[in-house]
Amino acid sequence: MPFIESIDHLTEYRRLVRAKRDPNQLQVLVCGGPGCLPLGSEELVAAFKAEMEAKGIDGKVILKTTGCHGLCSHGVRVLIRPQEIAYQKVQPEDVAEIVDLTLINGGLVERLLYQDPIDGKFCPHKADIPFYQTQNPLVLRKLDAIDPESLDDYLALGGYRTLRKILFQMTPEQVIDQVEKSGLRGRGGGGFLTGRKWRLCRQVPGEVKFIICNGDEGDPGAFMDRAVMEGDPHAVIEGLIVGAYAIGALKGYIYVRHEYPLAVKRLTRAVEQARDFGFLGTNILRSKFSFDIKISQGAGAFVCGEETALIASIEGRIGEPMPRPPYPIQAGLFGLPTVINNVETLANIPEIINLGAEHFAALGTEKSKGTKVFSLVGAVNNTGLLEVPMGTSLRHIVYDLGGGIPGNHEFKAVQTGGPSGGCIPKQFLDLPVDYDSLQQVGSIMGSGGMIVMDTKSCMVDVARYFISFLMQESCGKCTPCREGLKQLHAILTDITSGRGEEKHLAMMEDLCRTMASASLCGLGQSAANPVLSTLKYFREEYTKHIVDKKCPALVCRQLLTYTIDPNECTSCLACVRECPVGAISGPKKEPQVINQDLCIKCGLCHDVCQFDAVKVE
């Protein structure tokens, strides 16, 4: 691996890398993202390699494992370039047909193409698939095109061009000016203006400063940062270098949760590559700027996504938040000025510097500029990773990109912003997704997780689930958060178990207000959102649970009653065999009966009945 000594050397090396690449050469790009990897990406790559060797075309076709292709519900995804043929749900047994029909003869394997659920038409090319048509990828632009472990791939698509530009054409103040003009707000959830944060830190006196990439993504259903760290690690590193140059930092950290081993592996390799090439270290590219990066692994505590808790974790202390002020930009890591940006924020920086602040600022809304990456999961046909301009409506995301609700069920709510976010009902489907609009309806942007729910979801149980998660993840340092979450969880458990009382609703509202105003950090301050939003928009469900002792969504088992319809029962005795407490009995060859005094409402009888004889209400 060559050491890039100067800007001229970098320019020449990039030219050589591009000269070796034929844009018309066939490429097989297998998705190795968070959704496809567990489905067998590695086995699929091995199958392609073996089949191409057997057919004698392995030297003519480039085979790569890439980052996330976005449409996770249709994995494993395979992209054939330059034709842009997009195959879905590919298995190793499909490989021989793809090699023969597509790679050798230029045809299509129709059964592996995306089929439009509305008109039934097959979509041969990526651009034909509705999921991709209105996206505007900046952060995700390279994920399906490069091998994450290849620096040459990153350089070929313009990688480290920003580094050359800032070191030799821009002052730190000019870099900050560009980021400020772009209007980029922190994508980790706080939404603070990135350029403003950098400028404030640069103005703090001191020769030693730090910059940290916050990769401690812990929201249920969120995998945006993971996909970027695993699929385009050099973009994160380049953004971190630019930020360091802007604020005057000599050392940076990338903080990654331990549950992301592949992200740790690829970031570590990328840092080593950048160091070996001369993009990190002393006097980078013969400039006067020196900077290096260290990977720091967290133990998985959700609260360490909070800035001061993250700093404590890196320092080797218990990951607990600290009162502010002072803020990290004043006294952060080891008591020195520190900037903390999340993964997506930093991955945007190279694009902003290269394309210009005006290009980025032209996207989005007046107060929420640029694009945003979302992980769309839950009761939606097209789950996956997408990137759209700020201000895109929920309806467009859920129905046009997400493909609507499976089984023609009705949309009920979407939960945004992670466990501390709110549940947004269907009357706000046309709401533009930006920082201010989400806040106005009782939710938050968070890091970009979106969980779609249909009418089979019980909103009381949803609130209980998120409060349970936050209760377990609270560091317990401050009383309002620690005790407030315990009490909220106890009340919600009572309500979902049939022990709820009407006074509980007012008690929860009081608890929520106290937590929001008195908790030490953002976890406790925003923890009330799931409860307050469901109380506001789905209060009738709480009333049903408390007054009628019924769960309309048939989720809360303690409020359900299981009976057997004698007209439908065939006396197959499947329910009798599965009942763990012997609550079902009756004469042979006659309808069975459930003893309600013995029934523990486990639902096994309903699950095993093949004749729809077991009724639940």
Side-chain angles (χ1 to χ4, degrees):
M1 185 175 289
F3 184 84
I4 306 297
E5 296 181 346
S6 66
I7 185 172
D8 293 335
H9 193 182
L10 174 59
T11 302
E12 177 61 17
Y13 185 80
R14 195 194 307 277
R15 187 189 67 78
L16 291 173
V17 168
R18 288 177 171 171
K20 293 178 182 178
R21 295 167 184 253
D22 180 1
N24 297 315
Q25 186 174 9
L26 276 173
Q27 295 185 59
V28 177
L29 306 171
V30 179
C31 177
C36 289
L37 196 60
L39 297 177
S41 296
E42 294 176 340
E43 294 83 353
L44 197 60
V45 170
F48 268 110
K49 184 177 180 181
E51 186 66 21
M52 289 192 296
E53 287 177 353
K55 295 294 175 65
I57 63 169
D58 52 309
K60 302 176 183 177
V61 180
I62 296 172
L63 175 63
K64 292 181 186 178
T65 299
T66 70
C68 182
H69 289 198
L71 197 50
C72 302
S73 56
H74 293 63
V76 175
R77 297 193 60 79
V78 175
L79 192 60
I80 310 292
R81 284 188 165 140
Q83 300 96 322
E84 295 291 310
I85 297 170
Y87 287 134
Q88 64 177 14
K89 299 181 179 180
V90 182
Q91 301 294 322
E93 52 266 30
D94 301 317
V95 169
E97 190 175 0
I98 294 174
V99 170
D100 182 60
L101 194 58
T102 304
L103 300 184
I104 296 177
N105 294 301
L108 293 171
V109 183
E110 189 174 83
R111 62 185 175 80
L112 297 176
L113 298 174
Y114 179 90
Q115 189 173 15
D116 193 301
I118 298 176
D119 57 22
K121 291 183 179 179
F122 288 99
C123 303
H125 306 106
K126 178 182 174 182
D128 300 328
I129 300 173
F131 179 80
Y132 296 107
Q133 287 177 346
T134 56
Q135 292 195 46
N136 196 330
L138 296 178
V139 171
L140 304 182
R141 179 176 63 88
K142 299 187 291 296
L143 260 64
D144 67 359
I146 65 173
D147 176 354
E149 299 191 12
S150 170
L151 178 54
D152 282 359
D153 273 13
Y154 185 70
L155 290 171
L157 291 182
Y160 290 106
R161 184 173 56 188
T162 298
L163 176 61
R164 179 184 64 182
K165 184 174 182 178
I166 64 163
L167 291 181
F168 298 100
Q169 299 178 28
M170 303 176 73
T171 65
E173 288 77 11
Q174 288 174 326
V175 172
I176 293 174
D177 285 343
Q178 283 295 299
V179 177
E180 280 190 328
K181 289 177 182 177
S182 73
L184 175 66
R185 297 174 67 170
R187 298 305 197 239
F192 193 81
L193 287 166
T194 304
R196 177 67 175 159
K197 181 186 284 189
W198 287 9
R199 188 175 298 282
L200 288 171
C201 189
R202 181 166 183 83
Q203 292 171 349
V204 176
E207 294 184 2
V208 180
K209 297 178 182 178
F210 295 100
I211 184 167
I212 299 173
C213 170
N214 184 352
D216 190 60
E217 180 179 59
D219 296 357
F223 54 96
M224 302 78 60
D225 291 348
R226 175 186 174 182
V228 175
M229 290 187 288
E230 291 179 359
D232 195 6
H234 281 285
V236 180
I237 292 170
E238 189 171 11
L240 199 60
I241 298 172
V242 175
Y245 177 77
I247 69 170
L250 299 177
K251 188 170 184 179
Y253 287 82
I254 301 178
Y255 185 88
V256 191
R257 59 195 300 110
H258 182 70
E259 295 92 332
Y260 286 176
L262 184 58
V264 172
K265 174 190 171 185
R266 289 182 173 167
L267 283 167
T268 301
R269 179 176 174 82
V271 167
E272 292 171 352
Q273 289 173 333
R275 194 178 290 131
D276 291 343
F277 257 66
F279 299 145
L280 290 173
T282 304
N283 301 126
I284 298 170
L285 299 180
R286 291 184 181 173
S287 70
K288 295 181 181 180
F289 177 62
S290 301
F291 178 69
D292 210 343
I293 294 172
K294 181 179 180 180
I295 307 294
S296 180
Q297 293 188 57
F302 177 74
V303 74
C304 284
E306 195 276 337
E307 291 186 341
T308 59
L310 183 152
I311 288 170
S313 179
I314 293 177
E315 292 177 348
R317 298 184 286 113
I318 295 174
E320 292 179 340
M322 295 293 292
R324 296 183 293 180
Y327 293 91
I329 57 172
Q330 300 164 315
L333 188 63
F334 306 119
L336 298 168
T338 304
V339 158
I340 302 175
N341 296 126
N342 100 308
V343 170
E344 186 183 341
T345 305
L346 292 170
N348 267 299
I349 297 298
E351 299 298 327
I352 290 172
I353 301 299
N354 286 333
L355 298 175
E358 295 78 10
H359 177 88
F360 187 86
L363 300 168
T365 64
E366 182 181 354
K367 294 183 179 180
S368 299
K369 304 292 187 182
T371 62
K372 180 73 187 77
V373 179
F374 295 101
S375 62
L376 187 66
V377 299
V380 63
N381 283 307
N382 298 335
T383 59
L385 207 63
L386 55 94
E387 185 175 2
V388 292
M390 288 279 198
T392 301
S393 72
L394 282 171
R395 185 184 301 278
H396 182 70
I397 293 173
V398 172
Y399 284 94
D400 297 333
L401 302 181
I405 314 300
N408 293 319
H409 289 286
E410 185 180 349
F411 172 91
K412 188 172 189 176
V414 59
Q415 200 264 357
T416 69
S420 299
C423 297
I424 304 172
K426 61 182 178 181
Q427 61 258 42
F428 295 118
L429 266 173
D430 293 311
L431 183 81
V433 180
D434 58 47
Y435 290 96
D436 300 320
S437 297
L438 290 176
Q439 196 168 21
Q440 287 172 7
V441 296
S443 190
I444 56 175
M445 178 73 71
S447 59
M450 279 192 181
I451 302 176
V452 180
M453 290 167 274
D454 61 15
T455 49
K456 293 181 293 183
S457 294
C458 169
M459 303 313 295
V460 184
D461 185 65
V462 166
R464 186 200 59 79
Y465 166 77
F466 284 116
I467 292 300
S468 174
F469 176 88
L470 293 168
M471 180 181 69
Q472 294 174 36
E473 294 295 340
S474 171
C475 73
K477 184 175 183 178
C478 72
T479 303
C481 177
R482 181 185 67 244
E483 299 303 323
L485 285 169
K486 286 181 183 178
Q487 294 305 315
L488 283 177
H489 183 260
I491 293 172
L492 288 166
T493 300
D494 281 346
I495 293 175
T496 56
S497 300
R499 301 186 299 272
E501 301 178 35
E502 290 190 67
K503 66 179 181 180
H504 283 155
L505 302 185
M507 288 171 62
M508 286 196 295
E509 290 172 334
D510 287 342
L511 274 170
C512 289
R513 284 191 289 267
T514 301
M515 290 170 60
S517 61
S519 293
L520 177 61
C521 78
L523 189 152
Q525 292 164 7
S526 60
N529 286 333
V531 176
L532 290 176
S533 62
T534 51
L535 278 171
K536 181 177 181 179
Y537 299 120
F538 302 97
R539 201 176 189 91
E540 72 281 358
E541 285 197 34
Y542 283 90
T543 302
K544 284 282 187 181
H545 283 68
I546 293 171
V547 177
D548 300 336
K549 306 299 181 186
K550 292 186 180 297
C551 175
L554 303 179
V555 170
C556 302
R557 289 195 180 275
Q558 295 302 312
L559 300 181
L560 304 182
T561 301
Y562 292 89
T563 58
I564 297 177
D565 186 344
N567 296 320
E568 300 291 340
C569 181
T570 63
S571 193
C572 69
L573 303 184
C575 58
V576 175
R577 290 189 293 270
E578 291 296 329
C579 181
V581 293
I584 307 176
S585 62
K588 290 184 179 180
K589 298 184 180 181
E590 290 187 21
Q592 303 298 293
V593 178
I594 299 177
N595 185 329
Q596 298 299 327
D597 292 332
L598 296 178
C599 179
I600 60 173
K601 306 177 189 296
C602 65
L604 285 174
C605 55
H606 182 267
D607 295 340
V608 300
C609 183
Q610 299 181 10
F611 304 98
D612 195 29
V614 179
K615 306 298 182 181
V616 55
E617 61 181 21

